[in-house]
Amino acid sequence: MLNLDLSIVIPIDLHRRTRDIYNRIKNYVRIFSGSKIKIIFGCNSEPRHWVNKVKNLIAPHANFELCLVNADASSLAKLRNTALEAVKTEFVLFLDIDIWPDLDIIHEAYKQVVNHPSQLGMFPCLYLSKNGSKKIGKWSTSEFTNGYYDFRRDLIQHLAFPSSIVLTDMASVKYITGFDEAYVGHGYEDFDFMLRLFQHKKLIEYTQDLLIDEPYLAPLMSAGLRALLAKPYLESLLSPFYFLHVFHAKDREEQYYQCREINKNYFKTKFQSKISVNSQMKKLDLLQSFFASLENEKESPKYAVLWAEIYGHKLRSN
């Protein structure tokens, strides 16, 4: 087994989805028990009872660490930054607690990044439906990937690409000073971090495309901000290194999600000031670039789901 010089940083806030998150932590302990990979949780210091339960859970495992944060509101940026202070390894992988930890995929992703000139990887993430999540542990990651390409929207909600699953060297994370803690609640702290990291690695330039902030139905039809982040890693869609996001219910009325619009406005104001006045909008064509990356164009029908703009619920039976 490859000896990885790697830490995984995961933010957790036990104020919300408490029992669900605790059970996901238990799963990480089960999978990484005895591993050489360091698992570092950035965790809000309250509620104390549940924090103590997590401490007791990870105490027997030397590769687990809990870094506590005193914060009134849920700030994933602050939680991650606190965990980053404890990282001693050369490389770091950013996950959230809902990502299913496939050790084989993590090992392969690590080898890919260590051997890449940029020492940076960004990986696709399949968001499973409630029914799809029931097959975790029964299906391999490759079976879920094949299901996605077969339009199994009953099992897979969508593919996140770009995603916030990033593996890179700690020196670069320190250089860009980690995450911007002005973001509180849900959204945009990951886009902010990725843009600064990608720009530091000279993979992107800040152009007017940053100001186009639109969701997509199919990843290769995305535009603006999302296309800018996706383009350097289109070949990742051809690789077997897909991560899985386990389903959880969302309460859109929760304050955590209500913060998204505030974060969006802060993000736009911040990056608008970084774009050169002479910058031109590139209107990135991901589909054309993706076809150029295919070694054998006969394979292209397999990837139709990547550009088929279909509302996922129309492919579900219930």
Side-chain angles (χ1 to χ4, degrees):
M1 184 67 74
L2 182 68
N3 187 19
L4 283 70
D5 189 13
L6 177 68
S7 297
I8 300 178
V9 162
I10 304 171
I12 53 175
D13 185 350
L14 294 165
H15 282 111
R16 39 187 310 277
R17 294 177 48 212
T18 306
R19 188 171 295 280
D20 183 28
I21 288 175
Y22 179 75
N23 286 333
R24 308 252 164 132
I25 297 169
K26 286 174 67 175
N27 187 53
Y28 268 78
V29 170
R30 179 182 65 82
I31 290 174
F32 286 95
S33 176
S35 169
K36 298 297 184 182
I37 300 173
K38 185 82 172 179
I39 310 297
I40 306 176
F41 296 117
C43 180
N44 204 305
S45 59
E46 299 291 342
R48 180 59 57 180
H49 168 69
W50 282 100
V51 171
N52 287 336
K53 281 175 69 75
V54 173
K55 285 181 178 179
N56 292 334
L57 176 65
I58 69 174
H61 307 282
N63 61 319
F64 279 78
E65 186 168 351
L66 188 67
C67 300
L68 297 180
V69 178
N70 291 312
D72 293 331
S74 180
S75 170
L76 297 182
K78 190 174 184 64
L79 294 174
R80 289 191 179 105
N81 282 344
T82 302
L84 282 169
E85 292 175 6
V87 173
K88 302 294 192 298
T89 54
E90 185 177 356
F91 291 90
V92 61
L93 170 63
F94 296 96
L95 298 181
D96 75 41
I97 197 62
D98 297 308
I99 302 300
W100 180 262
D102 185 319
L103 277 173
D104 290 336
I105 297 294
I106 291 171
H107 277 73
E108 292 301 320
Y110 176 83
K111 286 194 290 186
Q112 176 180 302
V113 169
V114 168
N115 295 318
H116 196 278
S118 71
Q119 295 199 318
L120 171 62
M122 184 269 288
F123 302 95
C125 182
L126 293 170
Y127 276 64
L128 305 184
S129 68
K130 188 174 184 179
N131 287 335
S133 295
K134 293 177 182 177
K135 296 185 180 296
I136 284 281
K138 302 174 185 176
W139 281 24
S140 66
T141 300
S142 62
E143 286 177 300
F144 282 107
T145 305
N146 292 336
Y148 172 71
Y149 283 108
D150 286 338
F151 290 86
R152 290 295 306 272
R153 294 297 178 88
D154 57 323
L155 303 177
I156 297 158
Q157 294 179 321
H158 68 95
L159 172 67
F161 191 80
S163 83
S164 59
I165 299 175
V166 170
L167 197 159
T168 192
D169 60 298
M170 266 301 295
S172 295
V173 174
K174 290 178 180 177
Y175 183 87
I176 67 167
T177 66
F179 290 80
D180 183 344
E181 295 181 13
Y183 296 97
V184 175
H186 182 258
Y188 289 88
E189 86 291 335
D190 50 355
F191 281 156
D192 180 302
F193 174 79
M194 292 165 67
L195 284 170
R196 291 183 289 112
L197 182 61
F198 284 29
Q199 195 263 353
H200 167 62
K201 297 284 192 179
K202 297 182 169 52
L203 295 171
I204 63 169
E205 297 177 0
Y206 294 154
T207 67
Q208 296 292 332
D209 299 89
L210 278 176
L211 304 180
I212 300 176
D213 181 8
E214 299 173 353
Y216 55 81
L217 294 177
L220 290 182
M221 303 305 289
S222 63
L225 162 65
R226 290 164 179 79
L228 187 66
L229 288 170
K231 187 170 184 180
Y233 285 96
L234 285 179
E235 289 191 359
S236 294
L237 296 172
L238 302 173
S239 81
F241 310 140
Y242 282 49
F243 285 78
L244 305 176
H245 182 282
V246 184
F247 176 84
H248 65 84
K250 294 181 180 179
D251 178 4
R252 294 297 183 183
E253 299 303 315
E254 186 184 354
Q255 182 61 33
Y256 173 74
Y257 291 106
Q258 292 292 308
C259 293
R260 185 173 179 84
E261 195 65 26
I262 297 171
N263 287 344
K264 179 178 180 177
N265 292 333
Y266 171 69
F267 173 88
K268 181 177 180 180
T269 301
K270 175 179 177 177
F271 281 93
Q272 195 165 25
S273 67
K274 296 179 181 293
I275 299 170
S276 167
V277 293
N278 298 320
S279 166
Q280 299 295 317
M281 188 173 294
K282 294 184 178 181
K283 295 184 179 178
L284 300 166
D285 188 341
L286 295 186
L287 190 57
Q288 182 178 350
S289 298
F290 180 75
F291 272 112
S293 69
L294 286 174
E295 293 182 4
N296 181 1
E297 291 193 9
K298 291 181 180 179
E299 293 181 347
S300 60
K302 168 186 175 182
Y303 299 106
V305 70
L306 296 173
W307 58 80
E309 294 198 288
I310 299 171
Y311 286 97
H313 68 274
K314 294 187 177 181
L315 297 176
R316 298 190 185 112
S317 58
N318 51 23

